[in-house]
Amino acid sequence: MKERILIIEDDEAILKVLRRSLAYEGYIVDTALDGESGLTTARDRKPDLVILDWMLPGIDGLEVCQRLRAAGSMPILMLTAKDTTQDRVQGLDAGADDYMVKPFELDELNARVRALLRRTQSERVPVLTFADLSLDTSTRLASRKNRTISLTAKEYDLLELFLRHPRQVLTREMIFDRVWGYDFGGESNVLDVYIRYLRQKLEQEGESRLIHTVRGVGYVMREVA
């Protein structure tokens, strides 16, 4: 089933172009010309993604964004003529996942829509698996060969990252950014410590190694060669 996209935009010319472009891409498209009707449509038809104009009559885009975010986790792409850094920060802080300044290219907007939908699609998968390892994202428990493995919060975040990117070499910088939210710097060994913790838990009963070191780069989850 194709994803449903809601466009909340008071400029009818832009709305028409966006609706035609997204429908051509195969999406189901709903539209609204103001914030209030947009919120009603979002409540009644549950979009997979919202394209939201900042400057709307009545309830403005920032408030609409905040209400949508409070009601669910669908990705929100905000459109606006406001292009300062502070404007971008304000939009993202309101709950937007991405931000495009008018005028914009349709090809870029479509690419961003695809990227947001790909990301949320993978995030909706409740159980992640690789080889004989599985991770239930609802209970936050891992298991291997029917052996349940309890994880700390950071161990879980780290293992989830590997399971969402199997066989992909993850650099130390990427792992720090995704798991810790900032760069510890090249001298920090906290990542190596957590990798060691994870390996001990995953290999506790002699199971094969799944998390491998790529010297000078980072780590990768793959089967034993």
Side-chain angles (χ1 to χ4, degrees):
M1 183 180 294
K2 263 298 181 180
E3 293 94 342
R4 180 181 295 274
I5 296 177
L6 170 61
I7 308 168
I8 309 175
E9 168 64 70
D10 67 326
D11 186 318
E12 294 193 45
I14 294 176
L15 186 64
K16 184 177 180 180
V17 169
L18 288 175
R19 180 173 55 202
R20 183 188 302 124
S21 175
L22 292 166
Y24 180 80
E25 294 290 324
Y27 300 110
I28 302 167
V29 183
D30 295 317
T31 63
L33 289 166
D34 59 73
E36 186 171 353
S37 60
L39 288 168
T40 300
T41 303
R43 182 191 65 216
D44 294 342
R45 298 185 190 172
K46 302 296 182 187
D48 296 296
L49 180 143
V50 177
I51 297 175
L52 173 64
D53 183 35
W54 184 318
M55 304 298 290
L56 293 170
I59 307 172
D60 70 15
L62 281 183
E63 184 173 348
V64 172
C65 187
Q66 291 168 341
R67 293 192 190 184
L68 288 171
R69 182 55 66 233
S73 59
M74 83 288 286
I76 300 170
L77 172 59
M78 184 166 279
L79 304 178
T80 180
K82 296 173 176 285
D83 61 356
T84 70
T85 300
Q86 184 55 43
D87 292 327
R88 292 172 185 269
V89 169
Q90 193 174 1
L92 294 170
D93 281 348
D97 296 276
D98 203 352
Y99 186 107
M100 290 191 71
V101 176
K102 298 176 182 179
F104 52 83
E105 295 291 334
L106 280 175
D107 286 346
E108 182 182 358
L109 181 137
N110 286 332
R112 294 197 187 198
V113 165
R114 289 192 296 270
L116 287 169
L117 288 172
R118 277 198 306 270
R119 190 185 76 193
T120 55
Q121 183 180 39
S122 68
E123 289 171 353
R124 289 195 293 267
V125 176
V127 179
L128 304 171
T129 61
F130 182 80
D132 58 356
L133 171 67
S134 65
L135 180 68
D136 189 323
T137 60
S138 59
T139 63
R140 299 175 70 87
L141 287 175
S143 62
R144 196 166 186 194
K145 294 181 178 177
N146 297 317
R147 174 173 62 87
T148 300
I149 305 168
S150 297
L151 302 168
T152 66
K154 277 290 180 281
E155 289 168 352
Y156 171 88
D157 292 341
L158 188 56
L159 184 58
E160 182 184 17
L161 179 63
F162 282 115
L163 283 166
R164 290 197 186 278
H165 300 86
R167 304 184 186 91
Q168 178 182 336
V169 176
L170 305 182
T171 66
R172 297 176 66 88
E173 293 76 14
M174 176 187 177
I175 297 171
F176 280 135
D177 180 65
R178 298 287 185 87
V179 176
W180 280 270
Y182 61 95
D183 189 351
F184 275 91
E187 298 306 313
S188 174
N189 69 341
V190 66
L191 173 56
D192 308 291
V193 170
Y194 273 92
I195 291 291
R196 186 168 73 249
Y197 291 160
L198 261 185
R199 284 172 172 166
Q200 287 172 349
K201 291 187 175 183
L202 298 180
E203 303 166 19
Q204 185 175 334
E205 296 191 0
E207 296 93 341
S208 61
R209 176 153 296 181
L210 294 179
I211 300 175
H212 301 268
T213 302
V214 181
R215 294 195 179 280
V217 182
Y219 296 93
V220 60
M221 174 169 276
R222 61 170 172 78
E223 302 94 334
V224 175

